[in-house]
């Protein structure tokens, strides 16, 4: 009897899987869209707790801010990861992204570890430096063998990637967003389960986060509703089935699985480049090759959103000129601009605390960072994009739970920042900085 009571009180292991850009309609309208997702259907649509209308993403609806919000339960303005790439008009950081975990608020990895879980992650964006037990982060340098060496150096513990690669082959660090890259991410997650988590599961439960990127990339290149994107999603579903099955085997079913996405996506129709107007006004200077050498104001893209900063916020002449340009865009019905927010308005939405202004585009108008050419063009860089307003229904993300103690049903008014506090509640660990709520019991 004592053994049964102990089993009932034991906290479950938790598997968190992010499927980049998975829209709720692909989960609940599979027949209409001509796709088959048997794993998602079996575990979640038929037997899980889901948000049928999706969850509200953060501002901006871009991959790296979203993932740090997902793992902290806070908005980008709070955790500080406000874009994919670091703001870098002149390229002095050589295209660096926000690979790193934030240093402002606690993550679910750290909370799980402190709360007695074995905390692990595979390929999750914004995980370099995460305070867990086994962290195989997403990072890249040039796509060569150097990537593995760099990732191994920043993995926790150091040497984890080299050990893993001896068994599974090259770890997909971040530049390989293809179906094959996701297959390697799946192998890495299975390796982590079998080699690092299974040996400890009798002593302590685990928290493992994993990530799959190919559906998002296929949509970028071929369109949201392309057959290529559908096939990528079906392959992810098969990998997901293997991952859940192995986690169930290891835990004896003492498991909760949460599958989420960071945002939705929609097809583009135009590219717009505010920096072209800023350069014409003398706010940006370039060399003969078109490279930015100095700037007084610069617009950096986040898909359907753009952050505009002043190099010197006290430069009143540039500030006045910038406002004139933006006012003209706001008054032009052909500009593709939906909203122009000032810094305080952007912070109130949860993003870009250092911006002078934030531009939000109309549906289909993707921002680019070009400084030369036409402001608006129909020749697209990517066929689909996100980063658009978090209020757009097309940007809603997916949220699904199944497993021990999870009653099937539907949840409304779910937000991306609710993921971490909900899982913290399941694990009974502390996440004191969370701005979201536990959707299972309503607490903040």
């Amino acid at each position: 009897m004592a053994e049964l009571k102990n089993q009932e009180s034991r906290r479950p292991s938790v598997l968190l899987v992010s499927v980049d850009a998975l829209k709720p309609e692909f989960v609940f309208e599979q027949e209409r869209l001509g796709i088959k997702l048997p794993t998602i259907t079996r575990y979640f649509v038929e037997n899980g707790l889901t948000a049928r209308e999706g969850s509200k993403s953060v501002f901006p609806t871009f991959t790296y801010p979203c993932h740090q919000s997902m793992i902290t339960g806070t908005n980008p303005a709070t955790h500080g990861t406000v874009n994919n790439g670091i703001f870098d008009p002149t390229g002095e950081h050589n295209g660096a992204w926000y690979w790193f975990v934030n240093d402002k608020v606690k993550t679910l990895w750290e909370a799980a570890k402190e709360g007695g879980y074995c905390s692990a992650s595979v390929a999750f964006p914004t995980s370099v430096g995460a305070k867990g037990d086994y962290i195989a982060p997403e990072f890249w340098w040039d796509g060569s063998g150097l990537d593995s060496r760099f990732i191994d150096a920043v993995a926790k513990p150091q040497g984890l990637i080299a050990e893993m690669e001896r068994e599974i082959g090259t770890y997909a660090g971040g530049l390989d967003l293809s179906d094959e890259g996701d297959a390697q991410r799946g192998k890495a997650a299975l390796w982590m389960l079998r080699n690092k988590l299974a040996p400890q599961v009798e002593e302590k439960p685990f928290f493992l986060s994993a990530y799959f990127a190919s559906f998002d990339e296929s949509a970028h290149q071929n369109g949201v509703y392309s057959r290529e994107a559908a096939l990528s999603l079906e392959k992810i579903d098969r990998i997901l089935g293997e991952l859940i099955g192995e986690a169930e085997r290891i835990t004896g079913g003492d498991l909760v699985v949460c599958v989420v996405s960071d945002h939705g996506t929609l097809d583009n129709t135009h590219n717009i480049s505010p920096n072209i107007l800023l350069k014409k006004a003398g706010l940006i200077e370039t060399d003969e090759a078109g490279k930015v050498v100095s700037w007084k104001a610069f617009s950096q893209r986040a898909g359907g959103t753009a952050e505009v900063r002043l190099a010197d916020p006290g430069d009143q002449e540039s500030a006045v000129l910038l406002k004139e340009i933006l006012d003209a865009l706001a008054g032009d019905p052909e500009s593709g601009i939906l909203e122009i927010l000032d810094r305080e308005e952007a912070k109130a939405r949860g993003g870009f605390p250092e911006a002078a202004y934030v531009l939000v585009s109309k549906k289909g108008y993707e921002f680019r960072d070009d400084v030369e050419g036409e402001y608006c063009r129909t020749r697209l860089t990517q066929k689909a994009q996100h980063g658009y307003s978090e209020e757009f229904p097309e940007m809603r993300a997916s949220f699904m739970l199944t497993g021990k103690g999870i009653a099937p049903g539907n949840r409304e008014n779910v937000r991306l920042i609710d993921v971490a506090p909900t899982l913290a509640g399941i694990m009974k660990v502390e996440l004191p900085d969370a701005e979201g709520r536990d959707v299972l019991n309503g607490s903040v």
Side-chain angles (χ1 to χ4, degrees):
M1 185 67 107
E3 182 180 351
L4 178 60
K5 183 176 181 180
N6 182 61
Q7 288 175 352
E8 290 174 347
S9 62
R10 177 180 169 86
R11 295 178 296 170
S13 291
V14 173
L15 173 62
L16 169 65
V17 180
S18 170
V19 180
D20 202 313
L22 176 60
K23 300 173 72 171
E25 64 182 308
F26 283 87
V27 173
F28 298 106
E29 301 177 49
Q30 295 177 37
E31 185 175 354
R32 177 179 69 83
L33 296 173
I35 58 172
K36 293 182 179 180
L37 307 174
T39 300
I40 285 175
T41 299
R42 172 191 169 194
Y43 284 100
F44 302 102
V45 178
E46 296 177 350
N47 296 292
L49 177 69
T50 60
R52 294 190 67 90
E53 298 303 317
S55 67
K56 185 178 181 180
S57 191
V58 294
F59 180 67
T61 55
F62 228 36
T63 298
Y64 270 43
C66 287
H67 278 84
Q68 196 61 193
S69 290
M70 191 190 300
I71 208 71
T72 64
T74 64
N75 285 293
T78 301
H79 58 64
T81 303
V82 298
N83 204 333
N84 286 352
I86 292 170
F87 196 87
D88 189 18
T90 59
E92 61 182 306
H93 299 301
N94 297 314
W97 279 34
Y98 282 94
W99 294 298
F100 314 98
V101 71
N102 87 91
D103 58 3
K104 297 180 179 180
V105 298
K106 183 174 287 189
T107 70
L108 196 54
W109 298 305
E110 183 179 2
K113 180 177 171 63
E114 289 179 351
Y117 273 70
C118 185
S119 180
S121 183
V122 173
F124 203 87
T126 68
S127 59
V128 172
K131 296 177 180 178
D133 295 289
Y134 301 101
I135 306 295
E138 177 174 271
F139 179 75
W140 63 85
W141 184 253
D142 62 5
S144 74
L146 283 173
D147 281 18
S148 291
R149 298 189 66 176
F150 276 120
I151 298 169
D152 193 50
V154 297
K156 187 172 183 180
Q158 188 174 356
L160 179 70
I161 303 302
E163 180 185 356
M164 178 191 296
E165 288 192 334
R166 284 194 289 270
E167 190 168 324
I168 73 165
T170 302
Y171 176 75
L175 284 179
D176 186 355
L177 305 177
S178 67
D179 295 345
E180 292 73 21
D182 269 355
Q184 286 303 103
R185 291 180 185 88
K187 289 179 182 179
L190 286 169
W191 183 92
M192 187 76 80
L193 278 170
R194 292 166 179 161
N195 292 275
K196 300 302 179 184
L197 305 183
Q200 303 185 54
V201 77
E202 291 299 322
E203 300 290 330
K204 58 171 65 175
F206 65 76
F207 169 61
L208 172 63
S209 61
Y211 168 74
F212 297 102
S214 60
F215 174 67
D216 178 62
E217 182 65 11
S218 290
H220 281 313
Q221 301 304 320
N222 303 288
V224 178
Y225 302 102
S226 64
R227 188 57 189 156
E228 292 89 345
L231 289 173
S232 291
L233 186 55
E234 289 177 344
K235 291 176 183 177
I236 291 172
D237 185 78
R238 288 194 288 273
I239 297 170
L240 183 60
E242 295 177 7
L243 195 55
I244 296 175
E246 187 65 13
E248 286 181 324
R249 184 189 69 79
I250 288 169
T251 62
D254 195 10
L255 176 72
V256 170
V257 182
C258 181
V259 172
V260 295
S261 65
D262 42 359
H263 48 67
T265 187
L266 60 82
D267 286 330
N268 291 330
T269 57
H270 298 76
N271 281 173
I272 50 177
S273 303
N275 284 326
I276 291 171
L277 304 181
L278 301 187
K279 181 185 176 184
K280 287 180 179 177
L283 295 173
I284 294 173
E285 291 186 5
T286 62
D287 60 18
E288 293 180 355
K291 183 181 183 299
V292 176
V293 293
S294 68
W295 60 284
K296 297 178 179 179
F298 190 86
S299 166
Q300 180 162 301
R301 63 180 293 273
T305 304
E307 176 188 13
V308 184
R309 293 191 192 182
L310 286 163
D312 177 7
D315 180 356
Q316 291 301 310
E317 182 179 350
S318 296
V320 169
L321 183 53
L322 174 61
K323 189 174 187 306
E324 290 176 354
I325 295 169
L326 298 186
D327 284 346
L329 284 175
D332 180 1
E334 303 299 320
S335 69
I337 303 297
L338 178 68
E339 300 176 273
I340 298 180
L341 312 177
D342 62 24
R343 177 177 299 176
E344 293 307 313
E345 290 170 329
K347 287 172 63 177
R349 292 265 284 265
F352 301 112
E354 297 183 60
Y357 298 96
V358 176
L359 314 181
V360 182
S361 69
K362 296 177 181 178
K363 294 178 183 179
Y365 287 78
E366 179 184 357
F367 287 105
R368 304 303 303 181
D369 292 343
D370 303 43
V371 294
E372 296 180 341
E374 297 177 309
Y375 164 77
C376 182
R377 57 180 168 87
T378 55
R379 177 176 52 82
L380 301 177
T381 305
Q382 294 179 307
K383 291 186 178 180
Q385 190 53 271
H386 40 91
Y388 290 99
S389 171
E390 76 280 17
E391 301 295 338
F392 289 172
E394 293 90 345
M395 291 299 106
R396 294 187 74 80
S398 292
F399 176 86
M400 300 174 269
L401 274 173
T402 193
K404 181 181 178 182
I406 304 298
N410 179 54
R411 279 290 186 276
E412 297 180 349
N413 302 315
V414 176
R415 299 166 297 171
L416 192 68
I417 58 172
D418 296 335
V419 172
T422 298
L423 298 185
I426 291 170
M427 293 188 282
K428 296 182 173 59
V429 300
E430 298 296 323
L431 202 63
D433 305 304
E435 297 169 331
R437 66 187 177 94
D438 179 348
V439 303
L440 298 180
N441 66 31
S443 65
V444 176

